[in-house]
Amino acid sequence: MPNRWKSIGLAAMLAGLTLSASYAEAAGVLTIGRREDSTTFDPIKTAQNIDNWVFSNVYDVLIRVDKTGTKLEPGLAESWTASNDGLTYTFKIRDAKFSDGSPLTAEDAAYSLLRIRDDPASLWSDSYKVIDTAAATDAHTLTIKLKNPSAPFLSTLALPNASVISKAGMEALGADTYAEKPVASGAFTVEEWRRGDRIILKKNPNFWQADRVKLDGVEWISVPDDNTRMLNVQAGELDAAIFVPFSRVEELKKDTSLNVDVDSSTREDHLLINHAHGALAKKEVRQALDLAIDKKAIVDAVTFRQGTVANSYIPKGALYYFADNLQRPYDPEKAKEMLLAAAGASDLTLNYLIRAGDEVDEQTAVLVQQQLQKAGITANLQKVDPSQEWDMTVAGDYDISVNYWTNDILDPDQKTTFVLGHDSNNNYMTNYKNEAVKELVAKARLELDPKKREEMYVDLQKMAKDDVNWIDLYYSPYINVSRKNIENFHQNPLGRFFLEDTVKN
């Protein structure tokens, strides 16, 4: 899913300079530096990594994705069966409790799924409309009936946003309070959320795998400046940090007090294009933009060759990735000719929205600006405070802007639906519209024959590239750094941190 900044205040800036004393001084508490603060603990109301990567260890799901990021495994559902017609699924819910000591039941699981399907505030309703009914047969049996067979259904149950929440807790506290300090079903509870500064988690003694958890707690600390965050780890003021700048990798690897982990990922960076703005509504103009950007130069200069050029919205190595998808060559002269041929687009001027303080985004912006200029396109760079950038993107107050997405489930349906075939979110803030694509997205979800389904996704990748829904830039690994006394701090390809297995010596 995408990662964006939100609600970073003065406290976060101060935290980057002098990390305040806190509960983290206790042994067994892991401190992790990240760029941004979370936005919510209500799983259905976010589509951001900054939220999901934290609450993946606060909530648990019915079905999990394993550490390799390649297969499903039992979570709160210890087993499941499907009917021969693929319409009825029966899940055996294990004996588990919420953090408040109340039993976690099939009724809570049914409530959580119906809420993500039906709540008007849910960002994920489209993926769960296939559910006809979800009901508890008894405390440990969940029966789900689908409206039609669905190839990605089991994978969607592993989405962090479909985590099991407490029905009684939500009804008693209300959505706003629950979103601040939820009743947990996972390895950790939310002890305190200091907005703009840090989230303090404590081990959940009622977690069904509590004996697996070695840490006493975790603090996710907002340190917006990339270099400051790295210095904090080097100085021992943080145990770990995520989003290591590409430019710092080799230097940090030479520091004998640190571990630098380069993990396989499903990350794909791309340039968002707002199709609702003037000439950008024309496919020919968007194709010209694609021709005007030298992706290889960006990979070399910005990622220090840690990345590879992207040619599809589906990441390399993921299910149904089409390796032979079109990759337009860098050709600014042809781009200029196309713009001249497109009425009213010969003097194209674009507003390029950038997150201030993000080293990679700023470097990319300068390169893209220079490349577009060679095609006669003016890109005015607008650096904004990270707390503003996400809201501006959602509001459509931009022409182009770099973003990235990491997959959250094994099946391509989630990302495809969200960026190409969505009804309600303007296809991830691009305002992309193609009814034929939207129809094929829906059909691919229903097709159970793997070969036929793969052909559909190949066609979707071709259609998206032809339309230039956005401009694919590069694929890259997750790069994180930790002190030598930290063990098992890593992400799977979908981005989940397995903090229940992390050790602080």
Side-chain angles (χ1 to χ4, degrees):
M1 65 174 46
N3 181 74
R4 280 313 209 194
W5 298 55
K6 180 91 171 176
S7 304
I8 301 175
L10 178 61
M13 298 303 293
L14 293 175
L17 300 175
T18 305
L19 297 177
S20 60
S22 71
Y23 151 76
E25 292 178 354
V29 177
L30 181 73
T31 55
I32 308 170
R34 56 177 182 162
R35 287 191 187 123
E36 57 277 274
D37 191 13
S38 294
T39 71
T40 183
F41 277 94
D42 190 336
I44 71 170
K45 295 180 181 178
T46 182
Q48 301 186 63
N49 285 336
I50 58 174
D51 297 313
N52 282 30
W53 289 359
V54 174
F55 65 57
S56 286
N57 287 107
V58 171
Y59 295 123
D60 204 354
V61 285
L62 290 171
I63 300 176
R64 297 173 177 173
V65 177
D66 75 336
K67 287 185 177 181
T68 69
T70 61
K71 61 182 180 180
L72 299 174
E73 63 182 17
L76 288 170
E78 60 184 8
S79 63
W80 55 88
T81 57
S83 60
N84 291 334
D85 61 6
L87 293 176
T88 302
Y89 286 81
T90 305
F91 299 85
K92 177 68 174 177
I93 306 300
R94 68 177 70 251
D95 188 13
K97 294 180 179 180
F98 287 107
S99 56
D100 63 0
S102 62
L104 188 155
T105 69
E107 185 177 3
D108 295 298
Y111 172 80
S112 301
L113 290 174
L114 295 178
R115 184 171 182 265
I116 197 172
R117 184 194 69 179
D118 298 336
D119 194 299
S122 173
L123 299 181
W124 302 99
S125 58
D126 281 9
S127 295
Y128 297 87
K129 287 178 180 176
V130 69
I131 296 175
D132 185 19
T133 62
T137 307
D138 58 49
H140 294 285
T141 307
L142 170 67
T143 301
I144 298 175
K145 294 185 178 180
L146 306 184
K147 297 174 183 176
N148 44 255
S150 171
F153 175 64
L154 288 176
S155 284
T156 65
L157 297 183
L159 181 72
N161 307 86
S163 294
V164 177
I165 63 173
S166 166
K167 178 183 178 183
M170 179 64 74
E171 291 177 344
L173 297 172
D176 291 343
T177 300
Y178 202 100
E180 291 283 330
K181 194 169 183 180
V183 179
S185 55
F188 297 92
T189 64
V190 180
E191 176 70 13
E192 184 181 1
W193 184 359
R194 302 176 190 172
R195 287 280 189 172
D197 177 14
R198 69 190 63 203
I199 289 174
I200 300 174
L201 306 180
K202 279 193 173 181
K203 178 179 176 178
N204 175 11
N206 289 313
F207 179 46
W208 68 274
Q209 288 182 309
D211 58 349
R212 172 178 170 181
V213 182
K214 307 300 188 296
L215 294 170
D216 297 320
V218 179
E219 287 196 14
W220 288 91
I221 302 173
S222 300
V223 185
D225 184 78
D226 287 341
N227 286 318
T228 301
R229 196 166 60 257
M230 297 306 108
L231 289 171
N232 289 155
V233 181
Q234 289 181 293
E237 295 175 13
L238 288 170
D239 294 319
I242 63 176
F243 298 120
V244 175
F246 295 112
S247 62
R248 299 292 301 277
V249 173
E250 294 308 315
E251 170 203 340
L252 293 172
K253 282 182 176 179
K254 295 175 183 176
D255 190 329
T256 57
S257 67
L258 302 178
N259 297 311
V260 178
D261 294 312
V262 179
D263 295 328
S264 297
S265 86
T266 53
R267 174 168 173 157
E268 185 239 349
D269 284 65
H270 43 261
L271 187 73
L272 292 178
I273 302 174
N274 190 343
H275 297 213
H277 281 191
L280 296 178
K282 299 178 180 179
K283 180 167 70 172
E284 295 80 8
V285 171
R286 301 193 300 272
Q287 289 174 339
L289 285 176
D290 197 12
L291 287 166
I293 295 176
D294 188 347
K295 292 84 171 175
K296 181 65 164 58
I298 293 172
V299 166
D300 291 347
V302 175
T303 78
F304 289 74
R305 297 182 176 83
Q306 296 277 351
T308 57
V309 174
N311 66 335
S312 170
Y313 74 92
I314 294 181
K316 188 175 182 179
L319 184 64
Y320 302 143
Y321 166 69
F322 181 42
D324 295 327
N325 203 33
L326 173 66
Q327 185 174 302
R328 291 186 179 88
Y330 173 55
D331 193 339
E333 289 304 315
K334 184 175 180 181
K336 190 181 295 185
E337 291 172 10
M338 289 183 68
L339 289 170
L340 286 171
S346 59
D347 57 349
L348 190 61
T349 299
L350 302 174
N351 175 42
Y352 189 151
L353 188 64
I354 311 165
R355 292 188 297 272
D358 185 322
E359 177 182 308
V360 171
D361 265 20
E362 292 187 3
Q363 291 174 347
T364 302
V366 171
L367 274 176
V368 170
Q369 182 187 47
Q370 294 171 349
Q371 292 168 2
L372 293 179
Q373 192 171 27
K374 292 179 182 178
I377 303 167
T378 300
N380 294 324
L381 306 186
Q382 183 183 7
K383 288 185 184 181
V384 299
D385 185 87
S387 62
Q388 297 176 270
E389 187 265 352
W390 174 251
D391 289 336
M392 291 177 68
T393 305
V394 172
D397 190 12
Y398 79 100
D399 292 325
I400 56 176
S401 180
V402 166
N403 195 354
Y404 82 84
W405 182 289
T406 60
N407 287 0
D408 301 291
I409 67 173
L410 298 180
D411 196 276
D413 174 71
Q414 179 220 6
K415 184 178 183 182
T416 304
T417 298
F418 212 75
V419 304
L420 300 180
H422 216 290
D423 287 327
S424 56
N425 79 336
N426 296 324
N427 287 320
Y428 196 55
M429 279 65 79
T430 62
N431 293 291
Y432 171 64
K433 292 181 176 66
N434 184 322
E435 288 302 316
V437 168
K438 182 178 169 183
E439 183 179 330
L440 187 55
V441 171
K443 287 183 178 179
R445 189 180 303 128
L446 305 180
E447 180 55 62
L448 300 182
D449 183 312
K451 186 173 182 180
K452 291 179 180 177
R453 195 162 184 252
E454 181 174 12
E455 291 172 356
M456 291 178 171
Y457 278 103
V458 167
D459 286 343
L460 284 166
Q461 290 170 81
K462 290 178 179 178
M463 295 163 80
K465 179 65 71 173
D466 182 61
D467 282 343
V468 193
N469 68 300
W470 62 33
I471 295 175
D472 302 304
L473 295 178
Y474 59 87
Y475 308 123
S476 63
Y478 299 122
I479 308 176
N480 303 311
V481 62
S482 60
R483 304 287 300 175
K484 281 290 187 182
N485 64 318
I486 306 301
E487 297 178 12
N488 301 327
F489 179 71
H490 68 90
Q491 295 172 276
N492 73 4
L494 304 189
R496 188 187 189 280
F497 287 93
F498 289 80
L499 298 182
E500 58 267 57
D501 295 327
T502 303
V503 177
K504 181 177 180 179
N505 296 312

